[in-house]
Amino acid sequence: MAQSDLSKKLLSPNVKAFMGPVGLLLLLAILSVFAFRFGFAKISEQRQSVATARQNESVLSQKESILKDVQSGVPSYVKAVAAALPEKNPSLSMVSQLRILSGEKGLSLGNIKVGSEIAAGGASISEVDVTFGIEGPAAEIVSFLAAVKDLAPVSTIEKAKINRSSIGTRADITLRVYKSEFPQKLPSLTEPARALTDDEKTTLTKLSALRLPIFSELTPQGGAVRENPFE
């Protein structure tokens, strides 16, 4: 009987009326906690996006500034590097250069042989040996050998055997010519860039000073039309 009276007191109309707002407040409190957590996460995400966008904008501005500084020399640098370290076998370009140079020096070039392409020190660097004989005045042969280092593609004289006789001077030369693969992937637009170092600028200047190969373009010509194709 006492327990029944206690239940009636606890569940009196006043208590029941009070429990409704309390339950609503608890529900609102729980929803507020979830809303705060969700909103805070969204705000943090938005702040991160803004920070990333500002960083990318800074990188792009830096790249734009660097490109403005070097844009006048880029075409010549690209041409010089591509000729100095070509992507394909450099032997044909070098043989053409040697023929032109020997003609300028009044020398006779012959017995040209091209070796097999082999990998050099770097993974993307390869080398080819070009051997040849050169005949003429000794002074011109020395001048010829000194001028080879100024030719593109880049090369080094590996062997030089000079023989003198009563009829003239002959030199048997082994020239090592180099090639390199071009980059296969461009860097990301948002990847930070760096300016060229003084050593890199010096290297580009030296490559730009090399004597580039001369390539001739053949103009296609239309064939004559025959009135009678069977004649």
Side-chain angles (χ1 to χ4, degrees), residues 173-189:
I173 310 297
T174 298
L175 196 64
R176 184 156 294 170
V177 193
Y178 301 92
K179 56 161 285 192
S180 175
E181 296 179 1
F182 291 166
Q184 301 297 317
K185 183 180 179 181
L186 293 175
S188 171
L189 285 176

Side-chain angles (χ1 to χ4, degrees), residues 114-188:
V114 177
S116 301
E117 182 180 317
I118 59 175
S124 61
I125 302 293
S126 300
E127 58 191 32
V128 179
D129 283 351
V130 177
T131 60
F132 58 92
I134 193 103
E135 295 181 357
E140 293 301 327
I141 290 179
V142 172
S143 177
F144 173 90
L145 295 177
V148 167
K149 64 179 177 57
D150 297 325
L151 301 177
V154 173
S155 64
T156 55
I157 297 176
E158 294 298 309
K159 295 180 182 178
K161 183 179 180 181
I162 300 177
N163 296 316
R164 292 186 179 183
S165 65
S166 57
I167 59 175
T169 303
R170 174 183 173 84
D172 294 306
I173 310 297
T174 298
L175 196 64
R176 184 156 294 170
V177 193
Y178 301 92
K179 56 161 285 192
S180 175
E181 296 179 1
F182 291 166
Q184 301 297 317
K185 183 180 179 181
L186 293 175
S188 171

Side-chain angles (χ1 to χ4, degrees), residues 175-217:
L175 196 64
R176 184 156 294 170
V177 193
Y178 301 92
K179 56 161 285 192
S180 175
E181 296 179 1
F182 291 166
Q184 301 297 317
K185 183 180 179 181
L186 293 175
S188 171
L189 285 176
T190 56
E191 182 179 336
R194 64 174 181 83
L196 295 175
T197 64
D198 291 339
D199 289 341
E200 289 171 339
K201 290 179 180 179
T202 300
T203 299
L204 286 175
T205 301
K206 290 180 179 179
L207 293 180
S208 300
L210 294 178
R211 181 172 174 176
L212 303 182
I214 299 175
F215 299 101
S216 58
E217 296 183 1

Side-chain angles (χ1 to χ4, degrees), residues 77-90:
Y77 287 156
V78 171
K79 185 177 181 180
V81 172
L85 287 171
E87 185 178 23
K88 297 182 179 180
N89 193 316

Side-chain angles (χ1 to χ4, degrees), residues 52-71:
T52 302
R54 288 178 178 174
Q55 182 179 3
N56 292 340
E57 182 181 2
S58 176
V59 170
L60 292 175
S61 297
Q62 179 195 23
K63 286 187 174 182
E64 182 182 10
S65 176
I66 293 175
L67 289 175
K68 284 182 178 179
D69 291 339
V70 301
Q71 65 179 351

